[in-house]
Amino acid sequence: MRDAETQGLVLYSRNYKEKDKLVKIFTASFGKRMFFIKNFGKSPFASSLQAFTDGKLTATINDSGFSFIEDVSEVTVYKNINADIFINAYASYIISLADAAISDNQYDPALYAFLKRSLELLDQKFDMEIITNIFELQILGRFGISINFAECAFCHTTTGPFDYSYKFNACLCKKHFDEDLRRTHLDPNVIFLCNLFQEISLDELKKISIKPEMKQKLRQFIDGLYDEYVGLHLKSKKFLDSMQPGSWADIMK
Ligand SMILES: [Zn+2]
């Protein structure tokens, strides 16, 4: 047990007993922790502890059991994430990915910063699908997955077009397509964009414009990678999938 100050981002909260709440917060200094808030409705921190809220916490951090908050200050609320059902759905999905990617209590300030930056960009109305794809590809390493989209697995050429092979868990250049007769037959731009998204820093991200058709191809390919290598079943992802064009969500636009 120790008293500490840290930045923290609220991932979610849930009711606990009659009036209390458990709030899961990704802290910069102590990883993800579960905080117990007694009588949440009357807590002075209730509004500072909504999902997608970032703030400076003064807290008692326990390595087992719940942690406790003494104060929250310098609170940042992501207004557009809260107000827009679409942005909210993307933000919820990347938050649940970050939650699934590392264990609780694991120190990971880089992931905290990456998540926070991604939410900031979503809140600033950057392209939601692109931010999400970048997040999905860059967080793969936390799940123990490393894929090289930059070169052919056989001859290491960095000149495309490339296709993806699940047999070799790698990219193939044109000369080596025959190595895997069941290669994916992807649009080569998908691999090009995956490589770009894997390398890019969110701080350097300029406006990228991608056609809906290409976005759809990226979505399918990244879903395939997650099915094959990660195997998560997140409610937030199901909800996001239910909002795709042609669904009920069209009437909300
Ligand atoms: Zn090759």
Side-chain angles (χ1 to χ4, degrees), residues 152 154-155 157 173 176:
C152 171
F154 284 84
C155 64
T157 179
C173 78
H176 292 102

Side-chain angles (χ1 to χ4, degrees), residues 53-70:
T53 302
D54 188 86
K56 193 167 151 192
L57 311 174
T58 310
T60 305
I61 302 291
N62 292 314
D63 288 329
S64 61
F66 302 134
S67 295
F68 299 91
I69 287 173
E70 278 139 41

Side-chain angles (χ1 to χ4, degrees), residues 135-251:
F135 194 87
E136 289 171 309
L137 289 169
Q138 294 196 10
I139 207 174
L140 275 177
R142 295 295 194 288
F143 291 104
I145 312 302
S146 126
I147 302 173
N148 187 349
F149 293 113
E151 58 177 50
C152 171
F154 284 84
C155 64
H156 306 291
T157 179
T158 54
T159 310
F162 294 117
D163 195 5
Y164 191 74
S165 161
Y166 281 101
K167 182 176 168 190
F168 298 105
N169 304 314
C171 295
L172 306 176
C173 78
K174 232 175 171 172
K175 269 191 248 165
H176 292 102
F177 279 174
D178 293 347
E179 297 289 341
D180 180 4
L181 298 177
R182 297 176 64 192
R183 66 192 170 87
T184 316
H185 293 276
L186 278 180
D187 180 329
N189 289 316
V190 170
I191 298 287
F192 173 82
L193 286 167
C194 284
N195 187 38
L196 178 72
F197 288 176
Q198 209 176 35
E199 301 293 317
I200 207 164
S201 154
L202 288 179
D203 293 323
E204 291 159 14
L205 191 62
K206 305 263 160 49
K207 206 170 158 29
I208 309 178
S209 173
I210 297 177
K211 288 193 178 136
E213 198 192 322
M214 183 52 61
K215 281 185 174 176
Q216 191 56 36
K217 289 179 184 174
L218 272 165
R219 179 71 272 144
Q220 274 173 9
F221 179 58
I222 296 172
D223 280 346
L225 294 177
Y226 267 77
D227 282 347
E228 178 74 16
Y229 301 122
V230 185
L232 287 175
H233 299 280
L234 301 171
K235 270 190 220 154
S236 54
K237 179 61 165 57
K238 268 198 188 144
F239 182 65
L240 199 56
D241 290 343
S242 80
M243 295 178 104
Q244 295 311 306
S247 72
W248 62 271
D250 286 353
I251 56 169

